[in-house]
Amino acid sequence: MTDKKVWLITGAGRGLGLNLARSALAAGHIVIATGRDPAKVNRALGQHDSLLILKLDITCFEDAEIAVAVAIQTFGKIDVLVNNAGNFFAGFFEELSQTQVRNQIDTLLFGPMNVTRAVLPEMRSQKQGLIITLSSTAGIGGIAFCSAYCAAKFGVEGWMESLALEVKKFGINSMLVEPGFFRTELLSNDSTQYAELSINDYADDTRATKTAWQGMDGKQGGDPQKLAEALIQLAELEHPPARFAAGADAVETFEAKAKTLNDQANALRELSSSLSLDTD
């Protein structure tokens, strides 16, 4: 471990965010742990000399601005931002209401954008920083019953991949993290909301999928504490990876997606390559 760093973590009251906050503190760093309900974050983390707990609803840009201002006033810098807070609207696209789809994207895409927008001026001024954004294997490959979630996570992938090119010259690194199934609270009733609408053509599949997913809660194979420790380790690298496949299932998803894209590129290569404008 080198110099003590200041970490700002969203959604730090439970799940991976809680594991990350504890791991960063154990590694000797300063942690700004945020959440919609700071009392809940405080109950989860307790007291620590290197811990500051702040209210932050990531869907509110003003909250993000205030949290960043307090962090800078208190510690003078933010070295690592972890965009972790999230939720899950599960269901087939037609059964998800327009409000549910908008809420999903507002939280998973516009939320991290709000916090990152607030942090970037400080990191540019510092000429250094790391932005870690929790995506998902659902941001690599589409999944039935997860259309809104995948839409948001695919958006996160494109946004962060592009942002990395824009801020690299300022000494700011970024890392997308794509976990597979980890034993967090994502599938719990507190984090998952199911489709509001009911369409007969989907009814059997909806019941079966919902039962299967509820049965997975608390039985996922990934260890969030190990993931947290891996991210602490990766954050110390001079050149963190642009993407980190978190879990053996995530590695398989990466490999399957790469093969699918390669197969699709080759399937109609001749036709695809014949579309240039004729200049003769």
Side-chain angles (χ1 to χ4, degrees):
M1 189 61 59
T2 55
D3 294 340
K4 179 179 290 191
K5 293 182 178 179
V6 178
W7 287 61
L8 192 159
I9 303 171
T10 68
R14 61 179 180 173
L16 178 61
L18 177 57
N19 289 103
L20 264 173
R22 288 172 172 164
S23 294
L25 288 169
H29 296 305
I30 294 169
V31 172
I32 303 158
T34 74
R36 288 186 176 184
D37 182 356
K40 181 177 180 179
V41 180
N42 185 64
R43 288 193 297 271
L45 284 169
Q47 301 296 315
H48 195 288
D49 291 341
S50 297
L51 173 65
L52 175 64
I53 295 173
L54 297 176
K55 177 184 181 297
L56 174 50
D57 176 350
I58 63 172
T59 65
C60 175
F61 180 58
E62 184 179 59
D63 267 18
E65 286 186 306
I66 292 171
V68 170
V70 172
I72 296 300
Q73 183 178 17
T74 306
F75 301 114
K77 63 175 183 172
I78 297 173
D79 296 296
V80 182
L81 166 63
V82 183
N83 288 312
N84 166 74
N87 58 4
F88 180 28
F89 286 88
F92 296 111
F93 176 70
E94 281 192 88
E95 293 191 314
L96 290 166
S97 69
Q98 288 182 320
T99 298
Q100 286 183 309
V101 173
R102 287 182 182 276
N103 285 344
Q104 182 72 100
I105 294 175
D106 195 27
T107 299
L108 295 186
L109 178 56
F110 291 124
M113 284 182 169
N114 285 336
V115 184
T116 302
R117 189 183 298 278
V119 167
L120 276 174
E122 302 301 333
M123 287 189 172
R124 277 194 294 104
S125 177
Q126 297 164 187
K127 301 299 182 185
Q128 65 88 25
L130 172 62
I131 301 168
I132 300 174
T133 300
L134 271 293
S135 180
S136 167
T137 50
I140 300 296
I143 304 172
F145 210 68
C146 300
S147 51
Y149 188 80
C150 288
K153 291 300 188 180
F154 267 70
V156 164
E157 293 281 329
W159 162 56
M160 285 302 298
E161 187 172 304
S162 301
L163 181 65
L165 302 175
E166 298 174 357
V167 301
K168 185 177 179 62
K169 64 182 179 181
F170 303 119
I172 302 171
N173 292 314
S174 69
M175 179 168 60
L176 279 158
V177 180
E178 289 86 356
F181 284 100
F182 277 77
R183 200 167 297 183
T184 64
E185 298 179 32
L186 184 63
L187 295 180
S188 69
N189 291 332
D190 288 339
S191 294
T192 298
Q193 297 184 47
Y194 290 93
E196 293 178 348
L197 309 177
S198 180
I199 298 173
N200 285 337
D201 286 347
Y202 294 105
D204 289 344
D205 288 337
T206 295
R207 280 193 297 270
T209 307
K210 186 175 179 180
T211 298
W213 283 52
Q214 289 175 329
M216 289 175 60
D217 185 28
K219 299 177 183 178
Q220 303 96 318
D223 184 341
Q225 181 58 38
K226 288 184 178 180
L227 175 53
E229 291 169 1
L231 295 183
I232 299 295
Q233 178 183 343
L234 292 172
E236 288 298 310
L237 298 177
E238 182 178 357
H239 301 291
R243 279 185 173 83
F244 176 59
D249 53 348
V251 172
E252 292 176 0
T253 297
F254 273 44
E255 292 174 338
K257 183 69 172 188
K259 182 180 184 305
T260 296
L261 287 173
N262 189 62
D263 290 346
Q264 290 172 343
N266 288 322
L268 295 168
R269 177 179 291 273
E270 184 175 349
L271 179 59
S272 298
S273 303
S274 69
L275 305 179
S276 299
L277 185 68
D278 293 329
T279 57
D280 294 338

